[in-house]
């Protein structure tokens, strides 16, 4: 269930350039925990000299867009009054999966082969240092994909900017082309990183990684006597993912991708909306969705990340005659972005997760921010914000 928002505040950010103009934002000061009942599962699978990473998105919303984010784009973070906004220019292009519009991804991979994914984790408590630049928990994903090539680079730069939570309590699973993975968590204001020898099982669900590993030792095959169960709980999914990872033997890349989807199928739930497999070696991202089990993919080798071009998007629900998403991308549209937010927040209202007024206020704030960062559009275009 989503937590009810407690209050709103207005955030004014302004800058001289058209690109940086941002209108008033109505934001939540409390969080909405992503994924009903604390769901989602992620993992990485060693494949030859690299890896594959997989993620199930489990909650009531299936709408989304696939976004081709460009290099050389100036960015400004989403912060409340009195906070330091982070400013940067994207070094790498990326392909992301977004439900809350452009610049707010749930996960993705960049052209260097870095993968970043989020999962809900209710106890998350982010560091608070007002002297440092701030960024929200979903833009944090875009920031990593914009700036870094490897897991090591992400870990080395965790202190700035700091996450300022607005909507979600999260922890993160990251991986790169070299075959390295990591879990990043924020607990009681501190940062915990698990990688290398500290990450004996490269998987994550919705418990803390420490508790997941501790509990795993009670199961057959991992030193304990408990039978592995097929239930939907966070730890049950973690244990099954760990067992399947332990059984994997690499033969070839196609078989490895199939095995990654086998793991995702094993831990899927009734509300699993997306199942994604990232292949940093081949630079492919594979996707199946609830109601469409045809495996489609994005080829990052063929994606156009050129500077000075608008982002390209594709509605996940749109019928694409080709299984290769690249052939169906269109230039970013404010109308498509607005339609996505309207659909997502309507579903949250109908699901009883938000009141109508709350949803309308949050939707308006996000739209106004995103209209302010429309790439390659004159300011006069920012007029239709119903």
């Amino acid at each position: 269930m989503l937590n009810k928002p407690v209050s709103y505040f207005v955030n004014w950010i302004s800058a001289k350039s058209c690109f940086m103009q941002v209108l008033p934002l109505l934001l939540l000061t409390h969080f909405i925990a992503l994924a009903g009942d604390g769901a989602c599962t992620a993992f990485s699978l060693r494949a030859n000299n690299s890896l594959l990473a997989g993620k199930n998105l489990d909650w009531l919303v299936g709408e989304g867009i696939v976004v081709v984010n460009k290099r050389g784009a100036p960015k400004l973070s989403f912060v409340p009054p009195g906070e330091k906004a982070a400013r940067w220019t994207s070094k790498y292009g990326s392909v992301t999966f977004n439900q809350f519009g452009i610049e707010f991804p749930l996960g993705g991979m960049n052209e260097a082969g870095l993968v970043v994914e989020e999962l809900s984790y209710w106890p998350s408590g982010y560091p608070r240092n007002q002297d440092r630049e701030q960024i929200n928990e979903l833009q944090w994903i875009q920031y990593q994909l914009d700036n870094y090539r490897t897991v090591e680079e992400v870990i080395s730069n965790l202190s700035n900017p700091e996450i300022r939570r607005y909507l979600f309590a999260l922890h993160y699973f990251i991986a790169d082309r070299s075959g390295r993975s990591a879990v990043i968590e924020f607990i009681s204001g501190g940062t915990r990183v698990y990688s290398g020898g500290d990450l004996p099982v490269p998987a994550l669900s919705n418990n803390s990684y420490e508790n997941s590993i501790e509990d795993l030792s009670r199961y057959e095959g991992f030193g304990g006597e408990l039978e592995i169960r097929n239930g939907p709980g966070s730890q049950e999914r973690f244990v099954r993912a760990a067992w399947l990872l332990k059984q994997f033997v690499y033969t070839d890349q196609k078989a490895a991708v199939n095995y990654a989807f086998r793991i995702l199928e094993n831990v899927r739930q009734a509300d699993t909306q997306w199942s994604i497999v990232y292949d940093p070696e081949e630079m492919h991202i594979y996707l199946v969705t609830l109601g469409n089990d045809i495996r489609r993919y994005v080829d990052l080798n063929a994606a156009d990340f050129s500077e000075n071009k608008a982002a390209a998007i594709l509605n996940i629900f749109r019928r694409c005659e080709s299984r290769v998403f690249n052939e169906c991308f269109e230039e970013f549209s404010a109308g498509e972005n607005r339609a996505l937010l309207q659909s997502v927040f309507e579903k949250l209202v109908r699901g009883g997760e938000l009141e109508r007024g709350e949803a309308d206020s949050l939707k308006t704030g996000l739209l106004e921010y995103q209209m302010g960062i429309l790439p390659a559009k004159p300011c006069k275009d920012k007029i239709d914000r119903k």
Side-chain angles (χ1 to χ4, degrees), residues 63-321:
E63 290 83 349
I65 53 176
V66 186
V67 183
V68 179
N69 305 279
K70 307 297 183 172
R71 307 181 203 104
K75 307 287 183 79
L76 175 67
S77 65
F78 195 45
V79 294
E83 302 282 0
K84 282 188 177 181
R87 296 174 182 265
W88 71 98
T89 299
S90 56
K91 297 178 183 177
Y92 305 104
S94 62
V95 172
T96 57
F97 297 85
N98 301 34
Q99 287 193 319
F100 291 88
I102 194 165
E103 290 297 313
F104 293 84
L106 303 186
M109 181 168 75
N110 70 15
E111 61 183 316
L114 176 68
V115 176
V116 183
E117 273 289 354
E118 55 72 32
L119 299 89
S120 68
Y121 178 57
W122 288 59
S124 287
Y126 303 108
R128 291 294 294 123
N129 186 335
Q130 293 184 337
D131 293 331
R132 290 178 178 163
E133 294 179 338
Q134 306 291 314
I135 194 167
N136 72 74
E137 66 279 5
L138 295 182
Q139 253 188 327
W140 185 90
I141 296 171
Q142 191 64 59
Y143 181 90
Q144 311 309 319
L145 296 173
D146 284 348
N147 285 286
Y148 304 122
R149 298 178 59 89
T150 66
V151 167
E152 183 177 2
E153 288 182 4
V154 173
I155 292 172
S156 297
N157 291 279
L158 283 176
S159 62
N160 197 48
E162 286 188 344
I163 295 176
R164 180 76 158 89
R165 186 180 73 192
Y166 298 113
L167 303 175
F168 303 93
L170 305 175
H171 54 182
Y172 301 91
F173 188 86
I174 64 175
D176 66 30
R177 184 183 289 173
S178 74
R180 189 173 181 187
S181 302
V183 167
I184 298 172
E185 298 179 326
F186 302 94
I187 300 175
S188 301
T191 303
R192 298 185 185 180
V193 177
Y194 302 90
S195 64
D198 295 327
L199 191 78
V201 177
L204 188 64
S205 54
N206 310 104
N207 295 351
S208 72
Y209 188 75
E210 180 181 17
N211 288 346
S212 295
I213 291 297
E214 182 177 318
D215 188 66
L216 182 65
S217 65
R218 302 189 300 128
Y219 287 85
E220 291 178 349
F222 299 97
E225 298 180 355
L226 291 179
E227 292 184 359
I228 296 174
R229 301 187 295 266
N230 289 321
S234 172
Q235 190 59 21
E236 291 168 317
R237 287 180 279 113
F238 181 88
V239 171
R240 294 203 304 277
W243 173 256
L244 288 169
L245 289 172
K246 187 176 181 180
Q247 308 309 308
F248 175 68
V249 176
Y250 181 82
T251 55
D252 59 65
Q253 203 71 1
K254 182 178 180 180
V257 170
N258 289 338
Y259 194 88
F261 273 108
R262 176 186 168 190
I263 297 175
L264 292 175
E265 178 64 27
N266 185 277
V267 298
R268 71 173 288 113
Q269 302 183 78
D271 63 351
T272 297
Q273 303 291 343
W274 309 342
S275 295
I276 303 172
V277 171
Y278 298 94
D279 184 346
E281 181 69 20
E282 299 294 331
M283 296 304 291
H284 288 173
I285 306 174
Y286 300 91
L287 171 73
V288 297
T289 60
L290 184 65
N292 185 357
D293 59 1
I294 296 175
R295 193 179 300 174
R296 298 167 289 170
Y297 72 95
V298 182
D299 183 354
L300 272 72
N301 300 297
D304 185 358
F305 298 117
S306 303
E307 297 181 25
N308 303 318
K309 285 190 177 182
I313 65 170
L314 174 65
N315 190 308
I316 283 178
F317 285 166
R318 178 189 163 192
R319 287 189 61 84
C320 180
E321 296 303 322

